[in-house]
Amino acid sequence: MRPRKIQAFVITVPNDSPRSQHLREEMQKLEPWCDVHIQRFSTPCADYKGSSDGSSCVQRNLYENHQRCAQMILDRQLPYGLVFESDVAIDDRHLATTMDGVVAWLGLYPKAFDLV
């Protein structure tokens, strides 16, 4: 029997469209293992154009968005969760092996991590 699906949270911002153009397509690959929740957060970084940006504003905002996702995992009292950024690119060649391994490991050690 397969354990319940892992809850996965994806961080994106309204002006992130160039990076997240294929986001839904990438996330569909996880459906056998995950329920995916796309989280669209606002950004205080007025000059952000949706591409990688090393500015301190973007880096701080990204950190805070990861914290928001971690808080969602805690608030929902989930045993664990996955957090992705909008530019995630999933390697199809190793996906099943990797995710089956993650699910098996979490089944054996359900309280080892809060965030995967």
Side-chain angles (χ1 to χ4, degrees):
M1 181 174 112
R2 181 176 280 231
R4 69 180 180 174
K5 288 187 173 185
I6 298 169
Q7 301 305 296
F9 300 86
V10 184
I11 297 168
T12 188
V13 295
N15 52 341
D16 207 16
S17 59
R19 290 178 66 191
S20 59
Q21 182 177 347
H22 301 287
L23 180 59
R24 293 197 187 281
E25 181 181 325
E26 287 298 298
M27 292 296 99
Q28 285 177 342
K29 297 174 184 178
L30 293 174
E31 285 183 0
W33 305 275
C34 299
D35 288 326
V36 176
H37 310 279
I38 297 175
Q39 304 299 312
R40 188 174 297 268
F41 297 116
S42 62
T43 179
C45 309
D47 58 344
Y48 180 65
K49 305 284 190 259
S51 60
S52 294
D53 187 337
S55 77
S56 60
C57 180
V58 170
Q59 294 301 310
R60 184 175 45 256
N61 190 57
L62 184 56
Y63 170 80
E64 290 170 357
N65 289 341
H66 275 267
Q67 294 301 308
R68 287 180 183 101
C69 289
Q71 190 62 53
M72 287 179 200
I73 293 166
L74 294 172
D75 290 347
R76 295 176 186 191
Q77 298 181 336
L78 299 172
Y80 37 76
L82 289 167
V83 178
F84 295 96
E85 293 180 22
S86 60
D87 59 346
V88 63
I90 296 172
D91 182 351
D92 296 332
R93 297 170 299 159
H94 304 288
L95 178 62
T97 302
T98 300
M99 290 305 297
D100 286 344
V102 168
V103 168
W105 193 87
L106 290 171
L108 292 172
Y109 308 102
K111 298 189 185 290
F113 287 100
D114 295 325
L115 186 68
V116 177

